[in-house]
Amino acid sequence: MNLRSSWVDETGQTREDTRLTQTGVTTPANPVQVRSGIFPGSYDGRYRLAGFWTFGSAAMSATVSEGRAIIQGDISQGAYPVTLPASEVVTFSPGHAQYSRKDLLVLKIYDRLYDTVEQNAAKIEIIQGEARQDPQPPAVPARCLPLYEVTVPAGASAGTGGIPWNSALKDLRTPVVSLGGIIPVEGPVLPGAYPGQYQDAGGALQRWDGGAWVSYPSAIGGIIPSSASATTPASYTGQYRDHNGVLQRWDGSVWRPAYPGPYYTGSNDHGYTTSTTYTPTLLETGSSPLDVEFIAPPSGAILINYGARMWATSSTPHTVVMGLRLTQAGVTKIAESDETACFYSGTTPASMSSTTRFYNLTPGLPYVITGMFKCGANTTQIRANYDNTFIVVHPQY
C-alpha cells in the first residue's frame, strides 16, 4: 500500500515516512511536494531574508550566514529540513588562466537511499562551473538548493586580489513560509499552488487566481492604491486605480483618466472676418480654425462654455457673432446656429461668453467642436473682430 503515515505504527516508521508526512514550515508546490527555499526573517526584523546571506570574507573565501531551509526531493522522497546554526566559510578554487566561470554555492542533501554515497549528510558545497568565453552556471543536482551564483574571473587567486565580491555574487535565494502563510517575494516569482494563495510582492499584496498573481485590490474589485507599482496590471476592463492623485480607469488596453476633461482650446491672437455667413476662418491670425477635440462621456452629453473679446470695426454698432459646429470623423453632427451663438453689437471691445449643451452623442467616440464666426449685414466691408477666443468642453457624468 502506498499510503504513508507518521507516528501511527509502534515500529517501522522510516525516515522517508517522516519526510513525506511532515506539515511544518512548507509552501506547497503541488498536492504532495513543497517548494525548496529559505525560511524568512532577520534578527532585527529589517530584512525579509537573512538566512544563508553570503559575503566575501577573504580573497577567495566567502562566509555563509546561519539560517534554516527546506529542500524538496523527488515526489516519493519527501522534504529535507536543514539548519546552519553558525556561519561557515567556503573557499573557491582559483580562476582559469584565460576564461571566467560561474560557480554555484548550494545546500546539498546526500541520502544513501538514492545516492551512491556511504553517508547521509547535509552540506554547503560549491559546484564548479566550466571556464569558457561565455560561462554558464552548472546544472543543479537533485536534492540541492542554490544559494548564490558566483562569477570567478580569469586568473583570480589570493595573489591577484581574488574575487570581486561586490559584483561577483548573484543572489538565488527564495523564501518559503508555513502552509497558508503569505510569501515574501525575493528572487524569481514562482507560480502559486492553489487559487487563494497570497504573496507580498514588495509593493502589493497579490493573490493567485489559478493562472496569475493578481494584486489584492484588483482581486476584490477595489481601487489599486497609488502605493502599488505603476506596472501593476489590471485584472478586468473597468477597474480603477489612483495614479499620482488622478483616478484612472482601465479600458482594456491602457489606463485613461476616469473622468476626462474639461477640454480647452483658446487663442490670444487677434483675428477678424468680413463674412456674413459662418466661417471657421479668421484673417490675420495664426490660430484658425479654433478646434477642440474630446471624447464623448458615458452620458453622451457635454456643456460648452465659449466666447471672446469682440467688437465691430464700424462707425456705428454692428453685430459680431461666434457660434459652434460639432463634427465626428469629419462629418457635421450639429451645425452652427444663431440659436446657440454668442452675439455682440458694438464698436467698443467687450468680453462676451455663452454656455450651451449638446447631447445624444455616442459615448466613447471622438468629436471636434470648431469655433464659427460671422459679421452681420455687411455692405461696407465692416470687420467682425475677435481676440482672447476660447472654447471649453465639460463632459457630463
Side-chain angles (χ1 to χ4, degrees):
M1 184 173 184
N2 289 327
L3 186 64
R4 305 292 187 94
S5 66
S6 57
W7 319 123
V8 173
D9 293 332
E10 293 183 9
T11 60
Q13 179 173 324
T14 66
R15 292 177 290 116
E16 196 173 71
D17 290 334
T18 304
R19 291 194 304 270
L20 283 166
T21 56
Q22 65 180 339
T23 56
V25 183
T26 53
T27 299
N30 56 48
V32 178
Q33 294 175 293
V34 301
R35 289 189 191 180
S36 296
I38 311 298
F39 298 176
S42 60
Y43 289 110
D44 56 8
R46 295 176 57 193
Y47 304 100
R48 290 173 179 252
L49 201 59
F52 298 98
W53 177 62
T54 299
F55 58 93
S57 51
M60 298 299 293
S61 298
T63 298
V64 182
S65 301
E66 58 271 27
R68 296 190 300 160
I70 194 159
I71 302 171
Q72 174 67 53
D74 289 341
I75 196 165
S76 63
Q77 296 173 3
Y80 299 79
V82 297
T83 298
L84 180 66
S87 60
E88 184 171 318
V89 175
V90 293
T91 300
F92 290 79
S93 299
H96 185 269
Q98 185 177 3
Y99 298 120
S100 61
R101 70 173 193 269
K102 293 181 183 291
D103 295 351
L104 286 181
L105 177 64
V106 303
L107 302 179
K108 178 74 171 72
I109 295 293
Y110 289 93
D111 189 334
R112 61 186 181 186
L113 285 174
Y114 319 111
D115 297 318
T116 56
V117 294
E118 296 300 323
Q119 61 176 337
N120 296 317
K123 294 184 177 182
I124 298 175
E125 289 190 350
I126 297 169
I127 302 176
Q128 188 168 305
E130 179 184 355
R132 47 189 288 186
Q133 191 170 4
D134 58 337
Q136 302 296 321
V140 181
R143 295 175 302 283
C144 190
L145 177 62
L147 299 177
Y148 286 85
E149 177 186 299
V150 181
T151 300
V152 180
S157 67
T160 61
I163 298 171
W165 293 109
N166 288 339
S167 60
L169 289 168
K170 179 181 178 180
D171 195 346
L172 303 178
R173 297 171 301 158
T174 56
V176 292
V177 294
S178 61
L179 180 64
I182 296 175
I183 307 163
V185 177
E186 293 288 333
V189 177
L190 302 176
Y194 56 89
Q197 185 178 9
Y198 286 89
Q199 70 175 17
D200 179 355
L205 185 64
Q206 296 180 331
R207 178 184 181 274
W208 181 256
D209 69 359
W213 289 106
V214 179
S215 292
Y216 182 64
S218 307
I220 63 173
I223 297 173
I224 299 177
S226 58
S227 58
S229 169
T231 59
T232 300
S235 57
Y236 57 87
T237 299
Q239 186 185 3
Y240 291 89
R241 76 172 181 179
D242 175 6
H243 182 65
N244 298 327
V246 177
L247 186 63
Q248 295 182 328
R249 180 183 182 275
W250 180 253
D251 70 357
S253 301
V254 296
W255 289 104
R256 298 187 185 279
Y259 300 99
Y263 303 86
Y264 171 84
T265 188
S267 171
N268 292 327
D269 193 11
H270 166 260
Y272 74 91
T273 183
T274 60
S275 175
T276 57
T277 59
Y278 281 108
T279 176
T281 303
L282 292 178
L283 303 176
E284 294 185 359
T285 178
S287 304
S288 179
L290 193 68
D291 291 332
V292 58
E293 184 174 355
F294 67 94
I295 303 298
S299 68
I302 58 171
L303 287 176
I304 312 109
N305 180 228
Y306 62 102
R309 189 166 176 258
M310 303 159 61
W311 72 97
T313 303
S314 172
S315 59
T316 59
H318 216 83
T319 303
V320 180
V321 186
M322 178 180 179
L324 302 172
R325 175 188 292 173
L326 178 73
T327 58
Q328 201 285 310
V331 178
T332 298
K333 297 298 182 179
I334 300 178
E336 57 276 15
S337 168
D338 288 350
E339 291 186 355
T340 57
C342 182
F343 285 78
Y344 175 64
S345 181
T347 58
T348 301
S351 295
M352 307 300 293
S353 67
S354 184
T355 301
T356 191
R357 181 175 184 264
F358 289 166
Y359 53 93
N360 289 336
L361 310 185
T362 302
L365 288 186
Y367 288 83
V368 175
I369 287 182
T370 302
M372 305 295 291
F373 310 93
K374 74 174 182 178
C375 188
N378 194 342
T379 58
T380 58
Q381 294 300 302
I382 296 171
R383 292 183 178 184
N385 297 277
Y386 304 86
D387 202 354
N388 300 338
T389 315
F390 70 93
I391 302 173
V392 185
V393 176
H394 301 271
Q396 292 187 284
Y397 294 99

